[in-house]
Amino acid sequence: MKSPLSLTVLLVALPSFAQTTPPDFARCLDGLQAEARAAGVSEASYRRFTAGLTPDMSVIDKLNYQPEFRMPIWDYLSGLVDDERVQQGQAMLAQHAEVLARVQQRHGVDPATVVAVWGVESNFGQTLGKYPLLQALGTLSCHGRRQSYFQGEFYSAMRILQGGHIAPERLIGSWAGAFGHTQFMPTTFERLAVDFDGDGRRDLMDNTSDALASTANFLAKAGWQSSQPWGFEVKLPSGFNTDNEGRRSKRAMSEWVARGLRKVDGSPLPDGLGSAGLMTPAGPTGPAFLVFKNFDAIYSYNAAESYGLAIAHLSDRLRGAGPFTTPWPTDDPGLSRAERRELQGLLILRGHDIGEVDGMLGDKSREAIRVEQTRLGMEVNGRGGQKVLRALRAQ
């Protein structure tokens, strides 16, 4: 087991930690010490991990941020499940085949699903986040909304460091506290992380086998059933009423058969899979899916149906399936990450300062798109779709 770095090294490694702590933040940290001790953080550990800690108020801005832009599901999925990620994921399946086979044997979750979570959560370990967790969670424990929740995560992060699972300078992640290859919150780590290689540490930052096994363990504990698929795309009969249908409103397969549903290729629905819910994320004219308990297990990882569908669809693509058969109900489909980078490059060529070309269409990119949409006589919505990309390509 690696010993944690000394505080001196920690202060050097993490420049956002400073020696001067604002008085109100220092008082808050002092006030949390007794509760932290009751939660299993020793007095020595608490002093060590909070010494010199300063707040990062940018995380409060992110906590309070309510974006005006609402991403259509076809944009969301086109950025998460594209040919680039499928190719990378298939390479990861091959590279980690032996570990993934043992993970499946132990936890009952297939390799494609585990790797799909890995790809969506951190782009296969390439995007792990940049926020020192103690600083982010300490700030959120003392400022803003949901302080009690973040205090629990703050104490958990300190217990993880106290246990020597991860070196302090490596405990970085999202502004809200998720970390590692598959982005566990600290309390989730404590409940479900796995020491798969038997080295005495559960390391989701630098140990891929621990991270993949922990992901499978999460899904298994959420009710994953190895004998079932997550679901599949279906074809609805003309005029089918989708009112009151959804992921939670599960019906027997025989009932869906009686109501005229078929698989999207026209074949009959399979027997023996249990009950399923009908999900139509873009309404009855878009792709429709029958989803089973395994979709609910994926959903529990991040409670959004669009997220669950991204994981599910990517897992199918990694097994060799193609895109959804039914088109999304739009005349302006979404962009892959490569196309988003191309669009950003075209915006820069037209003189817009959008920052880094990273395939992430943030506020600066959307503002530049609005300017170009106005100039081109298009609908001005700041959305990066095929129409504005084609228009800028033509120029």
Side-chain angles (χ1 to χ4, degrees), residues 178-195:
F179 70 98
H181 281 256
T182 50
Q183 295 292 287
F184 276 25
M185 291 297 290
T187 54
T188 303
F189 173 101
E190 290 192 298
R191 287 189 298 111
L192 298 172
V194 170
D195 172 19

Side-chain angles (χ1 to χ4, degrees), residues 103-179:
V103 166
Q104 182 175 18
Q105 184 177 26
R106 181 179 299 183
H107 297 289
V109 183
D110 65 281
T113 299
V114 174
V115 170
V117 175
W118 188 19
V120 168
E121 287 291 350
S122 71
N123 198 24
F124 311 109
Q126 297 176 60
T127 308
L128 295 174
K130 63 181 181 180
Y131 292 87
L133 247 66
L134 290 185
Q135 184 180 44
L137 290 172
T139 305
L140 292 164
S141 293
C142 292
H143 300 280
R145 299 177 288 111
R146 303 178 68 197
Q147 289 180 23
S148 177
Y149 166 76
F150 287 113
Q151 286 162 13
E153 299 296 339
F154 186 40
Y155 307 149
S156 176
M158 284 190 275
R159 288 194 299 265
I160 292 168
L161 295 177
Q162 183 174 266
H165 295 287
I166 298 170
E169 81 281 4
R170 290 295 296 142
L171 192 60
I172 59 174
S174 76
W175 66 267
F179 70 98

Side-chain angles (χ1 to χ4, degrees), residues 179 316 366:
F179 70 98
D316 282 349
R366 288 196 292 271

Side-chain angles (χ1 to χ4, degrees), residues 11 26 84 88 105 160 178 236 295 314 326 353:
L11 292 173
E84 183 180 348
Q88 290 177 317
Q105 184 177 26
I160 292 168
L236 305 179
F295 186 88
L314 180 56
T326 306
D353 178 13

